[in-house]
Amino acid sequence: MPSTEELLKRLGVEIDAETLRLALTHRSYAYEHGGLPTNERLEFLGDSILGFSVTDALYRDNPTLPEGELAKRRSAVVSTRALAGVARDLDLGQYILLGQGEKLTNGADKSSILADTVEALIGATYLVNGIETARGMVMRLISPLLADAEALGAGTDWKTSIQELAAARKMGGVEYAVQGSGPDHARTFVATLRIGGTAYGQGTGHSKKEAEQEAAAVSWRQLRSVEPADA
């Protein structure tokens, strides 16, 4: 594992070496090293702090939004996809302690592992520094997501959102053309979304579902940036 000094600098907090190592210990590594403690308890703790911090920010920043829309935006901001994006911005994957099996299947870039580790780091920050420091770190990490919360709200399920948008504009049927490449243990999929026979966004992912969601997200943003002809 590379030096964690740069990671702590990016997080903007101090965490002692033992607690930080625990936060970065995936269960696959722990299992292969005789049943070491994993980061899952810290993840559980961090999830609660993250949820509260995001809820508080959304409530205060959007005084006229109804409960349903607040809940939708919160779900999007704390989603695995959103947190994995935060983790990739931090280059977090290189620091996570993984078992050999996860290393061989590119576990350092798996969205679920990245998102869980972000939550574990939040939990570790709380244990070492207290709630205010932990909340401050959360807000630094997710402030760009909060700024784009409306679009992320659609991202709770991009495929449903693009279906609804296409139907509202009477554009025709939505379909995905997906192609896979690479060995079985490290497949990459590319999806192209078509509406009414016209190609729109393209997405990539380690599964067909992930690639289709990315294609739907790109297409949704493309269409939202252009008003319908009869508007």
Side-chain angles (χ1 to χ4, degrees), residues 21-22 24-40 97-102:
R21 185 177 180 84
L22 178 60
L24 296 170
T25 300
H26 186 257
R27 63 177 176 272
S28 62
Y29 181 91
Y31 176 78
E32 290 184 9
H33 289 77
L36 296 173
T38 76
N39 64 4
E40 291 176 350
L97 297 171
L98 297 168
Q100 289 303 312
E102 286 292 352

Side-chain angles (χ1 to χ4, degrees), residues 6 13 25 34 37 45 48 55 71 96 111 117 154 171 173 179 196 200 210:
E6 183 61 30
V13 296
T25 300
L45 183 60
S48 295
T55 300
I96 303 174
S111 293
T117 307
M171 298 174 66
Q179 294 183 323
Y200 286 88
E210 187 176 345

Side-chain angles (χ1 to χ4, degrees), residues 12-83:
V13 296
E14 291 294 329
I15 304 174
D16 63 87
E18 182 179 356
T19 305
L20 180 59
R21 185 177 180 84
L22 178 60
L24 296 170
T25 300
H26 186 257
R27 63 177 176 272
S28 62
Y29 181 91
Y31 176 78
E32 290 184 9
H33 289 77
L36 296 173
T38 76
N39 64 4
E40 291 176 350
R41 282 171 52 85
L42 286 176
E43 174 197 335
F44 170 78
L45 183 60
D47 175 70
S48 295
I49 296 165
L50 172 67
F52 171 74
S53 300
V54 171
T55 300
D56 181 67
L58 287 171
Y59 182 88
R60 294 177 186 277
D61 294 345
N62 301 277
T64 63
L65 279 186
E67 180 271 341
E69 181 62 26
L70 289 172
K72 188 176 182 180
R73 295 189 184 190
R74 178 182 60 192
S75 295
V77 171
V78 303
S79 69
T80 295
R81 182 184 186 84
L83 293 180

Side-chain angles (χ1 to χ4, degrees), residues 100-114:
Q100 289 303 312
E102 286 292 352
K103 286 182 180 179
L104 289 173
T105 56
N106 199 27
D109 194 48
K110 285 184 179 177
S111 293
S112 58
I113 291 177
L114 290 171

